[in-house]
Each structure stands twice: as C-alpha cells, then as structure tokens.
Amino acid sequence: MADRYDSPVGDKPSITETQWQAAAIASALLSIILGIAGSFWILGLVPPEAIAPDDMAARGRALTPIGTFLIAIVTFCTVAWRAKVTERQANAQERQNASADENNLAILLEKGAELTGSDDKQKELAGLACLSAVVTAENRRFGGEGLSLLGRYIQENHPKKFSSYLPRIALQALRDGYRNGNSSPVKLRVNGDSEVVRWEPIWGVGGVNFRYGTVRDWPDEFDECPTANTFFKVSFETIKIAVDFRTFKGCKFTECEIIELNTRIGDTNTFTECNFSGCIMNFELNEERLDLETFFKDKNYYIEGNPPLPPHGFDSFDWSRYLRKQPRYPFGGEED
C-alpha cells in the first residue's frame, strides 16, 4: 500500500515523494553506468583500439557536457526528493502540534467550566481566563463550547447586573471569541426584576431574552451586535431607540425619542410622553386599522415642523390627530 503522504494534494497533478526518490536513484544509476561506459570509450577499451593521448583528451572534452547534465539531473531529483521529505516531516509535526493544542484546549475548557462554577471569586476569575483562552485561540475547535459556557455563566451567576468586574470580563471574552470567528447556538435569558439595569449586548450566542428591569442607558453596541435580542416587559426611560414589536414585547417607553416604530394590532408596548419627531412609521394601516388614538394616548408628541413619516400606503398623514404637536420654541424664542 502506498504511503498516504505520497498522494498528491489538490486537483493539479503532482510528483510524489516516492516518485522523486525513484527518479533520483534511477538517474544516479544511469549516470554511473554512462560514466563507466564513457570512461571505457575515452580509453579506447570499447571498442578495443589504440587511442592517441590527444584523441583521449578530445573524447573527454566531448563527454564533459553530458556528464555535467547527468550530474545536474541527479542533483535536481535528489533536492526535490529531500524537499518532499522535509514537507512530509513538517506536516507531521504540524498535525502533532495541532493535536497537542486541541488536547490543551480541551483541558482548559474543562477547567474553565469547573472553576466558573465555584463560589470563590478568585477561582471564578481563573475559570474565565481559561475560557477566554479557549475562545480566542487560533485553533477554534472548542470555541463554540467556550462561548456557550461563558453565556451560561452570565445567565446563572450575574443575570441582573453586568456592572461588576466578573460579568464584564465574561462579556469581553464573548465579544473577543465572536470576533475570532466562533459562535454558539445557546439562547440565554437574563432577568432584571424591578431594578435599574444597564443591559449590554451578549455577543456570540444564538439569542438573548432580556426580562423586566428599567433601562436608562442604551449602548450603541446593541445596533452592531448580530445576536437576536428580545425584551420582555422592560421599562425604557429617556433613551433614543428604534422599536419593533418583534423585538420588544410588553415594554414601556417613557420620555424616549422614538426614531423608528414597527407595530401591529395587538402590540402590547406602551409609550408615555415620547418624542416621535421625524419617526419612521414602518407599519401599515390596514382594513382592521390600528387604534392610534389609544396607542398614542399618553401625552406623546412631535415637534412642530418635524412630524413622523406617513405609514406605509400614505403619501401624507395628519399625525396631529393622534400626537400632540409641540411648538419648536416653547418659550417664545426664535431661531437665530
């Protein structure tokens, strides 16, 4: 059976290591045979005849280019064969190193899972360091598993607040792991209860459901993060945000600037004293018609001269029927 390293790689034909070795040996043997035959011819031994010294010299000069060519062929085949041998050895070493790396990463993954489940903060920190090493490693064999463990660590140990140093380390490791090309299908749920929270995006996981809590700070990273985020009964206050009923369910928005709204009949989100100036109304008013008077009843408004855009299917729309029209200069001032 042929050695597996003899097989050419890729679609293009290639000369294998064994073939180069055979060519080197064959060319060397041929050179020896031709060298002996040439020596006999130069000395007049084949065929037997008396040769003058000048004729011997002439014959030697005649065979010199041939000898040089044969030596070059032997050298070329030998060098090519040795190059193939070196390549095989390097590939074998690379596979051995990769296998060792995977074993080390598997150990780090197991150790990280063990330490992050500890009640000792120092052990937790060491566990996060292990998992961070796994998800940022060049070998991504266990990257997805590392992200899953990091995400579950946040869900189980720090579901309410991300502000302390341990969850922030985990969040950064998730971001770094995602940027390293890893991803995890795991879906998480974090619960803010009634506390004021600062939710931040969790990178690299399949989805996150943020529940309850009051949000007064909306990081721009949410718009960049590809994770499928949903929010359930979360209160948002004084932030600038785009609202989609598929992402926000049963949420309350108070004194927020709504830059885009996608809603439908049965939408349970509520708005109080929110600014809809220039808002993109990304929905349709169909035959069943949304009850806009009820939907926008709680002192919501737009600045005069900058009403929301018309809903789909309308060239223009009188939003003053449903939203308060607030003067641009409420204290009677004028633009300079």
XYZ file of all heavy atoms in Angstrom, residues 83-129:
350
model
N 13.142 17.741 -0.512
C 12.128 18.763 -0.216
C 10.804 18.112 0.153
O 10.106 18.557 1.083
C 11.950 19.690 -1.408
N 10.452 17.042 -0.563
C 9.220 16.318 -0.243
C 9.309 15.667 1.140
O 8.330 15.643 1.887
C 8.947 15.255 -1.306
C 8.454 15.806 -2.637
C 7.035 16.317 -2.491
C 6.479 16.767 -3.823
N 5.068 17.225 -3.713
N 10.472 15.120 1.451
C 10.667 14.512 2.766
C 10.500 15.567 3.865
O 9.818 15.355 4.878
C 12.059 13.852 2.860
C 12.342 13.403 4.292
C 12.156 12.665 1.911
N 11.118 16.734 3.651
C 11.017 17.822 4.634
C 9.573 18.289 4.794
O 9.108 18.553 5.909
C 11.908 18.996 4.200
O 13.260 18.542 4.063
C 11.852 20.131 5.205
N 8.863 18.379 3.655
C 7.459 18.801 3.700
C 6.618 17.802 4.495
O 5.780 18.190 5.306
C 6.922 18.925 2.276
C 5.459 19.359 2.203
C 4.946 19.413 0.772
O 5.735 19.145 -0.160
O 3.750 19.705 0.605
N 6.846 16.508 4.250
C 6.103 15.480 4.977
C 6.385 15.568 6.474
O 5.469 15.483 7.302
C 6.465 14.099 4.453
C 5.895 12.949 5.292
C 6.081 11.622 4.620
N 7.479 11.333 4.342
C 8.345 10.855 5.222
N 7.969 10.665 6.492
N 9.588 10.585 4.891
N 7.644 15.733 6.819
C 8.001 15.811 8.227
C 7.389 17.052 8.891
O 6.926 16.999 10.031
C 9.518 15.821 8.381
C 10.179 14.505 7.971
C 11.696 14.597 7.943
O 12.259 15.695 7.863
N 12.364 13.451 8.008
N 7.399 18.165 8.127
C 6.807 19.397 8.663
C 5.301 19.236 8.854
O 4.738 19.688 9.866
C 7.091 20.574 7.730
N 4.623 18.585 7.896
C 3.179 18.361 8.020
C 2.872 17.456 9.212
O 1.902 17.674 9.938
C 2.634 17.747 6.741
C 2.626 18.731 5.583
O 2.653 19.937 5.802
N 2.607 18.225 4.363
N 3.708 16.432 9.370
C 3.501 15.530 10.503
C 3.670 16.273 11.822
O 2.897 16.080 12.771
C 4.481 14.358 10.416
N 4.680 17.141 11.890
C 4.914 17.924 13.101
C 3.761 18.894 13.350
O 3.331 19.091 14.496
C 6.226 18.691 12.980
C 6.617 19.467 14.233
C 6.856 18.549 15.418
O 7.525 17.520 15.282
N 6.311 18.896 16.576
N 3.244 19.480 12.258
C 2.123 20.411 12.386
C 0.883 19.697 12.914
O 0.177 20.225 13.788
C 1.832 21.052 11.031
C 0.736 22.107 11.064
C 0.497 22.750 9.721
O 1.301 22.510 8.795
O -0.494 23.494 9.595
N 0.628 18.478 12.388
C -0.512 17.721 12.889
C -0.319 17.335 14.355
O -1.261 17.350 15.146
C -0.716 16.469 12.032
C -1.392 16.735 10.699
C -1.750 15.440 10.026
N -0.556 14.703 9.620
C 0.060 14.875 8.459
N -0.377 15.789 7.610
N 1.119 14.161 8.139
N 0.899 17.001 14.696
C 1.189 16.649 16.081
C 0.975 17.850 16.997
O 0.406 17.735 18.081
C 2.625 16.135 16.196
C 2.997 15.639 17.592
C 4.414 15.091 17.645
O 5.075 14.960 16.630
N 4.869 14.776 18.838
N 1.426 19.021 16.531
C 1.247 20.244 17.324
C -0.236 20.587 17.463
O -0.686 21.016 18.531
C 1.996 21.406 16.685
C 3.512 21.229 16.760
O 4.017 20.451 17.564
N 4.235 21.932 15.906
N -0.989 20.433 16.335
C -2.422 20.737 16.374
C -3.138 19.811 17.347
O -4.029 20.233 18.098
C -3.021 20.614 14.974
N -2.749 18.538 17.336
C -3.352 17.588 18.261
C -3.037 17.958 19.711
O -3.913 17.900 20.585
C -2.845 16.178 17.958
O -3.378 15.243 18.860
N -1.787 18.362 19.951
C -1.411 18.786 21.304
C -2.180 20.033 21.717
O -2.632 20.155 22.867
C 0.095 19.031 21.370
N -2.353 20.980 20.756
C -3.110 22.202 21.047
C -4.548 21.862 21.422
O -5.113 22.444 22.363
C -3.091 23.135 19.842
C -1.738 23.805 19.643
O -0.933 23.780 20.597
O -1.497 24.336 18.544
N -5.170 20.945 20.664
C -6.546 20.570 20.952
C -6.661 19.919 22.321
O -7.631 20.160 23.052
C -7.086 19.648 19.860
C -7.339 20.357 18.541
C -8.139 19.514 17.575
O -8.524 18.381 17.931
O -8.387 19.986 16.448
N -5.693 19.096 22.656
C -5.711 18.478 23.993
C -5.612 19.538 25.084
O -6.321 19.482 26.098
C -4.557 17.480 24.130
C -4.767 16.236 23.294
O -5.897 15.883 22.960
N -3.681 15.564 22.941
N -4.724 20.520 24.870
C -4.574 21.598 25.855
C -5.849 22.434 25.959
O -6.258 22.835 27.062
C -3.398 22.492 25.479
C -2.057 21.784 25.622
O -1.930 20.849 26.404
N -1.063 22.222 24.856
N -6.481 22.713 24.795
C -7.715 23.497 24.809
C -8.839 22.735 25.496
O -9.654 23.333 26.209
C -8.118 23.861 23.375
C -7.235 24.887 22.674
C -7.633 25.030 21.214
C -7.318 26.246 23.369
N -8.891 21.423 25.268
C -9.912 20.614 25.939
C -9.731 20.659 27.452
O -10.708 20.744 28.212
C -9.845 19.170 25.434
N -8.485 20.623 27.893
C -8.198 20.706 29.335
C -8.611 22.073 29.878
O -9.226 22.179 30.951
C -6.700 20.441 29.592
C -6.354 18.984 29.253
C -6.342 20.744 31.041
C -4.867 18.683 29.286
N -8.289 23.148 29.117
C -8.674 24.494 29.553
C -10.186 24.642 29.614
O -10.725 25.272 30.528
C -8.084 25.532 28.588
C -6.601 25.865 28.731
C -6.163 26.774 27.593
C -6.316 26.522 30.076
N -10.879 24.073 28.635
C -12.340 24.158 28.611
C -12.933 23.465 29.836
O -13.818 24.016 30.508
C -12.866 23.507 27.330
C -14.376 23.599 27.091
C -14.770 25.032 26.759
C -14.797 22.666 25.952
N -12.446 22.270 30.119
C -12.942 21.533 31.282
C -12.625 22.272 32.578
O -13.481 22.375 33.476
C -12.319 20.140 31.294
C -12.809 19.251 32.426
C -12.191 17.867 32.379
O -11.396 17.582 31.462
O -12.508 17.068 33.291
N -11.410 22.802 32.670
C -11.016 23.531 33.873
C -11.828 24.819 34.022
O -12.235 25.185 35.130
C -9.524 23.860 33.799
C -8.907 24.216 35.146
C -8.897 23.026 36.079
C -8.203 23.341 37.394
N -8.282 22.215 38.341
N -12.069 25.505 32.899
C -12.866 26.722 32.947
C -14.283 26.456 33.413
O -14.839 27.212 34.220
N -14.890 25.362 32.909
C -16.244 25.016 33.333
C -16.283 24.707 34.825
O -17.227 25.083 35.538
C -16.740 23.814 32.531
N -15.249 24.046 35.323
C -15.190 23.696 36.744
C -15.012 24.933 37.615
O -15.722 25.115 38.617
C -14.034 22.721 36.982
C -13.803 22.363 38.442
C -12.544 21.534 38.639
O -12.034 20.969 37.646
O -12.058 21.464 39.789
N -14.089 25.815 37.242
C -13.766 26.959 38.095
C -14.857 28.022 38.087
O -15.086 28.683 39.108
C -12.433 27.570 37.650
C -11.195 26.691 37.881
C -9.959 27.341 37.283
C -10.998 26.429 39.377
N -15.521 28.231 36.943
C -16.571 29.254 36.912
C -17.786 28.840 37.734
O -18.638 29.672 38.032
C -17.004 29.539 35.463
O -17.313 28.301 34.798
C -15.921 30.271 34.699
N -17.876 27.565 38.088
C -18.961 27.119 38.951
C -18.627 27.200 40.427
O -19.434 26.805 41.270
N -17.465 27.743 40.741
C -17.034 27.844 42.139
C -17.633 29.077 42.808
O -18.011 30.045 42.153
C -15.501 27.910 42.202
O -15.064 28.198 43.509
N -17.721 29.027 44.141
C -18.178 30.189 44.916
C -17.031 31.129 45.257
O -17.253 32.206 45.800
C -18.849 29.716 46.208
C -20.136 28.950 45.939
O -20.781 29.246 44.914
O -20.473 28.057 46.738
N -15.814 30.717 44.967
C -14.632 31.529 45.233
C -14.396 32.470 44.045
O -14.229 32.030 42.904
C -13.416 30.608 45.422
C -12.182 31.373 45.876
O -12.001 32.532 45.434
O -11.385 30.820 46.643
N -14.397 33.781 44.293
C -14.258 34.768 43.220
C -12.947 34.606 42.469
O -12.878 34.791 41.251
C -14.365 36.182 43.793
C -15.695 36.491 44.444
C -16.844 36.376 43.473
C -18.173 36.736 44.116
N -19.313 36.539 43.180
N -11.891 34.266 43.182
C -10.598 34.090 42.520
C -10.628 32.890 41.573
O -10.046 32.922 40.490
C -9.490 33.928 43.567
C -9.271 35.156 44.432
C -8.980 36.400 43.610
O -8.204 36.365 42.660
N -9.621 37.511 43.957
N -11.300 31.826 41.996
C -11.423 30.663 41.116
C -12.312 30.992 39.910
O -12.048 30.532 38.795
C -11.988 29.477 41.894
C -11.007 28.892 42.907
C -11.588 27.664 43.582
C -10.584 27.048 44.548
N -11.135 25.842 45.225
N -13.356 31.772 40.142
C -14.201 32.211 39.026
C -13.372 32.988 38.007
O -13.499 32.783 36.795
C -15.336 33.089 39.534
C -16.486 32.335 40.153
C -17.647 33.252 40.447
O -18.222 33.828 39.499
O -17.976 33.425 41.649
N -12.548 33.887 38.518
C -11.701 34.688 37.643
C -10.745 33.801 36.844
O -10.554 33.997 35.634
C -10.921 35.702 38.472
C -10.045 36.699 37.706
C -10.897 37.529 36.758
C -9.306 37.592 38.681
N -10.156 32.805 37.497
C -9.260 31.877 36.802
C -10.025 31.079 35.747
O -9.521 30.831 34.646
C -8.607 30.937 37.811
N -11.263 30.693 36.085
C -12.079 29.964 35.114
C -12.410 30.797 33.892
O -12.379 30.308 32.748
N -12.724 32.077 34.104
C -12.995 32.976 32.976
C -11.756 33.148 32.109
O -11.850 33.227 30.875
C -13.474 34.332 33.498
C -14.854 34.348 34.167
C -15.151 35.726 34.732
C -15.944 33.929 33.181
N -10.583 33.198 32.742
C -9.335 33.302 31.978
C -9.134 32.060 31.103
O -8.703 32.160 29.953
C -8.159 33.484 32.929
